[in-house]
Amino acid sequence: MNHTREVEVVVIGAGQAGLAAAHHLRRTGFEPERDFVVLDHSPRPGGAWQFRWPSLTYGKVHGMHALPGMELTGADPARPSAEVIGEYFAAYEETFDLRVRPPVDPRAARAL
């Protein structure tokens, strides 16, 4: 199946760096789906955080920098970090309408 299409920017990965990059693209006038796409291997939001063991609670995490434009506030320190960060990333994607495409395994990208 061929899913080839042209966009200006392909962001591969919807972890902290990928979401921050998508946010800044959006702020500078790029439109998701038209000018850029965000592809992620994981089936749901959370980046690598979603694969952390349940005993790693948010209160035990040494630090999680906020994504640009939206702080992570009110998180229960007793909850698993995978849940807290997953929900935060999902809210971020929705708030900024980033339209992340999961699960996708890119095979190639090329500059035109």
Side-chain angles (χ1 to χ4, degrees):
M1 192 181 292
N2 186 356
H3 294 283
T4 302
R5 57 183 284 245
E6 287 187 28
V7 292
E8 292 291 317
V9 179
V10 177
V11 177
I12 298 178
Q16 282 181 284
L19 292 177
H23 171 78
H24 288 296
L25 286 166
R26 191 107 164 97
R27 273 189 22 179
T28 57
F30 285 76
E31 286 294 321
E33 302 294 327
R34 184 190 74 195
D35 302 316
F36 74 94
V37 294
V38 182
L39 309 176
D40 195 70
H41 170 77
S42 300
R44 60 189 183 281
W49 287 94
Q50 65 190 286
F51 304 109
R52 301 296 187 251
W53 52 96
S55 61
L56 178 61
T57 61
Y58 188 66
K60 293 178 185 173
V61 171
H62 290 318
M64 178 24 218
H65 292 285
L67 291 164
M70 188 170 138
E71 294 292 322
L72 171 54
T73 58
D76 179 352
R79 289 186 63 215
S81 61
E83 293 176 7
V84 172
I85 305 300
E87 290 170 6
Y88 173 55
F89 282 14
Y92 192 84
E93 291 173 18
E94 184 176 330
T95 298
F96 294 105
D97 190 27
L98 299 178
R99 304 181 200 170
V100 174
R101 293 181 175 198
V104 176
D105 290 317
R107 293 195 178 118
R110 65 183 169 106
L112 298 175

